[in-house]
Amino acid sequence: MAKNRYRFCFGPWNISEGQDPYGPTTRPPQSFDWKLDQLKGLGFDAMMFHDDDAVADIDTKSESQIHKEAKALKKRLDDRAIAAEMVAPRLWFSPMTMDGAYTSNDRKCRRYAIDRSRRAIDIANILGTDILVLWLAREGTYLREAKDGRRSVELLVEALDAMLGHDKRIRLAIEPKPNEPMDHAYVPTIGHALAIAQLTRDPKRVGALIETAHAILAGLDPADEIDFAMAFGKLWSLHLNDQNGLKFDQDKPFGSNNLRSAFNQVRALERNKYGSNGEYICFDVHPFRTTKVEHWLDHLANSRRTFLRLVEKARSFDEARARQLVGDRNYQALDQMVIEHLLG
Ligand code: XUL
Ligand code: MN
């Protein structure tokens, strides 16, 4: 396999139990330590954390208790030589985030969201990462008349400014998603994320995370989203997975639905040298609901394997011949060349 600079990451939620809105779990829960112990053997280097993956029941704990538990986790990570890739405040479970977090119509709830984000930044510091991921799960509406869209942009900027002010080194990576759980989200695409960055007190420290499935849900080509973010030097993290069209967020294994699109995502990462500043390839993938316990980790191993095989495919693609065909405007031959290359 070609030598490569890539390092890999997943989150504890990616070893999930199979629950969906219409039925219970299909696999028994596993402990966090067990998940941590699987990571290296699967060829992974880092774990990503929601704030309450790092410190359970975070809302019930004092600041000093939170710091103490985060330090204990850091030691467990160090003992296993596992890095923390990012921390993300989970702003979609609490009753305080029922109607949005930073854009809630209730001032007390907005205050809660900002305070919790500050605590998540402290945890990131302790775990040794400067990346706070913001998936803005409930920043949107179930019905448009419920919120003022212009005011919501101002509230988002206020919240980002409070986070940037809390810590001079933290970088905010916004993870856009157009819908689910909301009808319409306020930050559906990378363009929205990078535009909102410009309104903050320190645009240099506000960037983005692209998730394949989220881009597809927005009707966009994930490879174009990657090129766009990287043209601004703003792709600081990545959630590769797959998605079969405009449905619920499926988080399928990378390449599972559209191998050609996966190839083009890898090509975009290759041409932009993603990873050369230490960025990780994270797989935000879930096992199929039907998965047996003994096959529970295969979606992670398979996503990584498919990714590395596509790196080889990207590197062995006949670029000179492709340029010739582009010059000759012979896109029919180019199309077939890609198909033949993927078929091997
Ligand atoms: C939701 C999603 C999240 C974020 C982290 O669709 O992708 O798991 O990646 O909060
Ligand atoms: Mn994600």
Side-chain angles (χ1 to χ4, degrees):
M1 201 157 273
K3 229 178 117 36
N4 72 80
R5 62 182 173 275
Y6 295 110
R7 294 184 302 166
F8 300 96
C9 167
F10 66 80
W13 65 91
N14 297 123
I15 305 178
S16 54
E17 286 98 44
Q19 184 167 20
D20 70 18
Y22 299 96
T25 57
T26 53
R27 294 174 291 275
Q30 258 297 2
S31 71
F32 173 76
D33 278 321
W34 183 85
K35 294 178 182 180
L36 208 54
D37 285 338
Q38 309 310 306
L39 190 137
K40 285 262 156 160
L42 290 167
F44 284 71
D45 311 279
M47 190 165 254
M48 45 184 176
F49 292 95
H50 292 113
D51 52 1
D52 57 0
D53 295 321
V55 178
D57 304 318
I58 189 169
D59 282 334
T60 65
K61 290 178 180 161
S62 69
E63 222 157 273
S64 65
Q65 185 66 23
I66 291 170
H67 294 183
K68 196 169 133 207
E69 289 188 29
K71 283 180 191 155
L73 171 60
K74 170 72 170 144
K75 179 158 181 349
R76 272 144 74 207
L77 294 175
D78 286 349
D79 289 346
R80 293 168 170 84
I82 293 172
E85 192 255 350
M86 63 83 160
V87 175
R90 195 194 299 271
L91 293 171
W92 52 92
F93 253 83
S94 159
M96 297 296 276
T97 57
M98 192 186 298
D99 189 27
Y102 312 127
T103 64
S104 171
N105 282 323
D106 181 333
R107 180 194 295 272
K108 282 195 302 301
C109 294
R110 296 200 299 271
R111 174 62 36 209
Y112 162 85
I114 291 177
D115 284 346
R116 181 149 168 180
S117 305
R118 288 198 188 102
R119 285 199 294 274
I121 291 172
D122 296 342
I123 294 173
N125 269 326
I126 293 169
L127 297 187
T129 173
D130 66 347
I131 296 202
L132 190 82
V133 166
L134 298 172
W135 171 43
L136 302 170
R138 297 196 189 276
E139 314 302 355
T141 52
Y142 300 105
L143 61 156
R144 260 296 167 259
E145 299 83 358
K147 287 183 189 173
D148 172 337
R150 165 71 191 261
R151 171 94 180 112
S152 293
V153 172
E154 290 162 4
L155 289 172
L156 283 171
V157 173
E158 257 175 58
L160 297 171
D161 279 347
M163 290 177 244
L164 293 167
H166 181 67
D167 182 316
K168 292 206 159 30
R169 286 179 319 118
I170 199 76
R171 292 186 293 155
L172 311 177
I174 298 176
E175 180 178 352
K177 181 177 178 182
N179 61 284
E180 197 201 43
M182 308 310 291
D183 178 18
H184 285 285
Y186 284 127
V187 184
T189 70
I190 288 302
H192 288 80
L194 298 191
I196 222 163
Q198 294 310 308
L199 297 179
T200 66
R201 62 196 281 170
D202 193 357
K204 284 192 309 308
R205 289 193 289 135
V206 184
L209 180 164
I210 288 168
E211 173 164 324
T212 312
H214 298 178
I216 294 168
L217 285 169
L220 298 171
D221 181 334
D224 282 349
E225 288 283 87
I226 290 170
D227 274 326
F228 189 86
M230 293 205 76
F232 289 81
K234 292 278 199 163
L235 189 60
W236 298 340
S237 185
L238 187 64
H239 286 181
L240 295 181
N241 55 20
D242 214 347
Q243 168 76 24
N244 187 14
L246 302 181
K247 298 186 168 75
F248 59 94
D249 185 2
Q250 297 180 310
D251 294 335
K252 288 183 161 192
F254 182 54
S256 161
N257 192 68
N258 188 337
L259 198 56
R260 184 166 179 172
S261 164
F263 169 67
N264 281 315
Q265 289 168 64
V266 171
R267 257 187 114 212
L269 296 171
E270 283 279 290
R271 70 173 151 256
N272 286 291
K273 303 195 170 26
Y274 180 85
S276 48
N277 299 312
E279 303 91 346
Y280 286 86
I281 301 286
C282 308
F283 295 109
D284 198 355
V285 291
H286 284 271
F288 300 120
R289 186 162 193 266
T290 48
T291 301
K292 294 177 187 167
V293 170
E294 58 266 38
H295 307 140
W296 201 350
L297 303 171
D298 293 357
H299 61 305
L300 291 163
N302 291 345
S303 292
R304 180 180 174 280
R305 175 176 163 79
T306 304
F307 177 86
L308 288 171
R309 294 209 52 190
L310 287 173
V311 170
E312 282 178 17
K313 285 283 174 193
R315 290 181 185 172
S316 58
F317 188 63
D318 189 345
E319 297 287 353
R321 173 82 186 129
R323 268 195 306 276
Q324 226 174 34
L325 294 174
V326 168
D328 191 28
R329 218 179 64 207
N330 190 349
Y331 297 163
Q332 188 61 64
L334 179 64
D335 184 41
Q336 193 59 21
M337 181 185 155
V338 174
I339 292 170
E340 300 282 345
H341 186 63
L342 288 176
L343 287 173

